[in-house]
Amino acid sequence: MKKLVKPRKTREIHSHHFDSTIWNDLEFRDDDIIISTYAKSGTTWMQQIIAQLLFDGDPDVPVADMSPWMDLRVPPKEIKLPFVEAQDHRRFLKTHLPVDALQFSEEAKYLYIGRDGRDVVWSLYNHHVNANQAWYDALNETPGRVGPPIERPPEDIRQYWLDWFQGDGYPFWSFWENVRSWWEIRDLPNVLFVHFSDLKRDMPGQIRRIASFLDIPIDDSKWPAILEHCSFEWMKKNGEKSTPLGGAFWDAGAEVFINKGVNGRWADILTVIESSEYEQKAKAELGSECSNWLANGGALSIG
Ligand code: A3P
């Protein structure tokens, strides 16, 4: 059995999106739930699943308001911290940071959701290309922004892919260090890995697995409602509750954020060589076991 090492904060990350220092000032509660992904990997889906479990399938839970993205610079931590401190329900907070830029609690429960990098970028492109001026203003004009502003994306999705792949996550943040940092702590008892493809393949099974990890009993009479409210169709139709700011950053609204919910949309656009360059890079950056899991999902072997 591998020795389990508690992660340690080694750095702060600041950018047009990030202010990692918020975690230094958060007073953890023992029952906190932290949802982590690189981005565009099913974060909102997991927030919805947890809200449905915590609130017994209530369709009206204002998920996005309740479950803020802690390390997003907007609104600043002076507003966000008192807000989450005042919450009297079980908290479920979102992060997109690598583990070593967080403060890690031994009691809180961490869910990490993985998705193939190509699917992530196809989702990211949709997120970015549809963002409106309010999104650019919020990110670029926010006091304390560090580094260059976020620019408008190129029209061509292949070019967007190349910029991201060759630029280590440009214009967002490094993909490899995010996945690798979480992978290294996957065996900790308070960490659960979930894959987007497994959620697609067997959502009921994955929801039961998540509920068991979080010690949330399921009321069987509420089970059909929970499943319905976590389905793609329901979430797309009711996206204003789960999408950040009700979708105000996208002129087409929340429906554009809950976009297609499928994988593999890159397969007709990237060449075989480009795809295989990604696969080789994933293996070199993450190792075979992790890169295989990231591409396909499936159960993890116990370390
Ligand atoms: P696509 O853009 O590929 O459609 P995040 O919340 O991390 O930003 O991830 C957004 C992605 O999750 C989007 O992917 C969105 O459609 C997908 N998603 C959200 N809810 C979903 C659901 N219930 N079923 C399937 N996919 C879902």
Side-chain angles (χ1 to χ4, degrees), residues 37-49 94 96 113 115 119-120 122-127 196 199-200 203 227-236 242 244 255-263 265:
T37 74
Y38 168 77
K40 311 314 297 176
S41 302
T43 330
T44 314
W45 196 0
M46 184 61 78
Q47 289 171 300
Q48 178 74 1
I49 289 170
K94 152 178 164 184
H96 288 315
I113 306 107
R115 193 180 189 190
D119 295 311
V120 165
W122 256 249
S123 184
L124 202 50
Y125 179 76
N126 172 68
H127 177 111
F196 188 93
L199 275 174
K200 296 261 330 158
M203 189 176 76
L227 291 184
E228 186 194 347
H229 301 153
C230 295
S231 70
F232 179 78
E233 293 70 27
W234 194 90
M235 284 186 65
K236 189 160 177 88
S242 54
E255 277 214 8
V256 90
F257 188 94
I258 312 288
N259 182 29
K260 305 263 190 229
V262 295
N263 288 332
R265 290 190 289 128

Side-chain angles (χ1 to χ4, degrees), residues 66-188:
M66 274 183 155
S67 176
W69 175 3
M70 294 299 281
D71 23 83
L72 179 65
R73 185 172 283 289
V74 197
K77 63 179 176 181
E78 291 73 21
I79 293 177
K80 227 177 273 171
L81 280 170
F83 175 78
V84 296
E85 268 152 30
Q87 291 186 323
D88 55 12
H89 56 79
R90 188 167 176 190
R91 299 189 302 192
F92 51 120
L93 310 172
K94 152 178 164 184
T95 180
H96 288 315
L97 288 172
V99 172
D100 63 319
L102 286 177
Q103 292 289 353
F104 192 83
S105 154
E106 278 177 75
E107 283 75 33
K109 299 243 167 116
Y110 291 80
L111 287 142
Y112 186 75
I113 306 107
R115 193 180 189 190
D116 187 288
R118 293 163 290 194
D119 295 311
V120 165
V121 173
W122 256 249
S123 184
L124 202 50
Y125 179 76
N126 172 68
H127 177 111
H128 196 164
V129 86
N130 287 299
N132 60 22
Q133 190 57 41
W135 187 78
Y136 287 95
D137 289 347
L139 294 170
N140 291 339
E141 310 305 329
T142 188
R145 190 196 83 217
V146 179
I150 189 152
E151 308 279 357
R152 289 185 188 274
E155 261 174 48
D156 177 15
I157 197 164
R158 259 192 81 249
Q159 187 57 49
Y160 193 72
W161 162 261
L162 291 173
D163 292 348
W164 181 88
F165 182 58
Q166 291 164 359
D168 193 20
Y170 178 85
F172 290 84
W173 43 87
S174 172
F175 183 61
W176 308 118
E177 72 177 17
N178 183 288
V179 181
R180 195 168 43 230
S181 74
W182 284 95
W183 181 256
E184 278 164 9
I185 63 155
R186 69 194 178 285
D187 291 329
L188 288 176

Side-chain angles (χ1 to χ4, degrees), residues 25-57:
D25 303 325
L26 176 74
E27 275 200 37
F28 279 102
R29 299 178 190 163
D30 287 356
D31 66 353
D32 278 342
I33 301 166
I34 317 293
I35 300 163
S36 174
T37 74
Y38 168 77
K40 311 314 297 176
S41 302
T43 330
T44 314
W45 196 0
M46 184 61 78
Q47 289 171 300
Q48 178 74 1
I49 289 170
I50 292 171
Q52 287 297 300
L53 288 170
L54 289 176
F55 299 98
D56 286 331

